[in-house]
Amino acid sequence: MIRAAVRTLIAEKKEQEGITGQISSILIASHNEEAEEVVTSLKHQFERVINVHLHSKQESGKCAEVFILKGAASDIKRMLNEFQKNRKIDYAKTCSL
């Protein structure tokens, strides 16, 4: 199971590295309510690529964020990286359209 997870992680990283130019993408993230300021700050930092932002509070005290993005692949990769490296954000993943 660990080998399969590592292979998937490596394949996803290689796929991301090959994406260039102008792209459309979806970013999905989840976090605790206390991390809302972090998300707001990141949202303002990358507003040039955000077309739509949906926020949903869950009963468990978690929040789900969905961003529909359009712009330079480098900006979108940087946005994903900022979400993933922040310890207050539990999950962040993109899917290119």
Side-chain angles (χ1 to χ4, degrees):
M1 187 164 60
I2 293 172
R3 273 188 246 152
V6 170
R7 278 195 302 267
T8 300
L9 190 64
I10 291 169
E12 286 177 3
K13 189 71 172 168
K14 283 183 181 179
E15 182 182 325
Q16 276 186 358
E17 289 172 358
I19 297 172
T20 60
Q22 294 290 312
I23 64 168
S24 294
S25 185
I26 297 171
L27 185 144
I28 300 169
S30 68
H31 58 85
N32 288 325
E33 282 185 72
E34 296 83 38
E36 194 60 42
E37 284 184 35
V38 171
V39 173
T40 300
S41 175
L42 288 170
K43 183 174 77 169
H44 289 296
Q45 185 177 345
F46 292 97
E47 62 187 7
R48 67 187 165 280
V49 296
I50 299 172
N51 282 348
V52 176
H53 172 222
L54 301 170
H55 171 88
S56 176
K57 276 190 178 179
Q58 305 301 309
E59 291 178 13
S60 63
K62 295 273 191 179
C63 294
E65 308 283 345
V66 178
F67 295 91
I68 299 176
L69 311 170
K70 186 174 183 176
S74 58
D75 289 338
I76 292 171
K77 289 178 198 179
R78 222 171 26 257
M79 182 177 178
L80 174 62
N81 185 46
E82 290 296 322
F83 270 79
Q84 287 178 332
K85 75 180 186 182
N86 192 300
R87 292 178 184 247
K88 292 185 176 185
I89 296 175
D90 300 322
Y91 175 84
K93 184 164 177 138
T94 58
C95 173
S96 296
L97 304 175

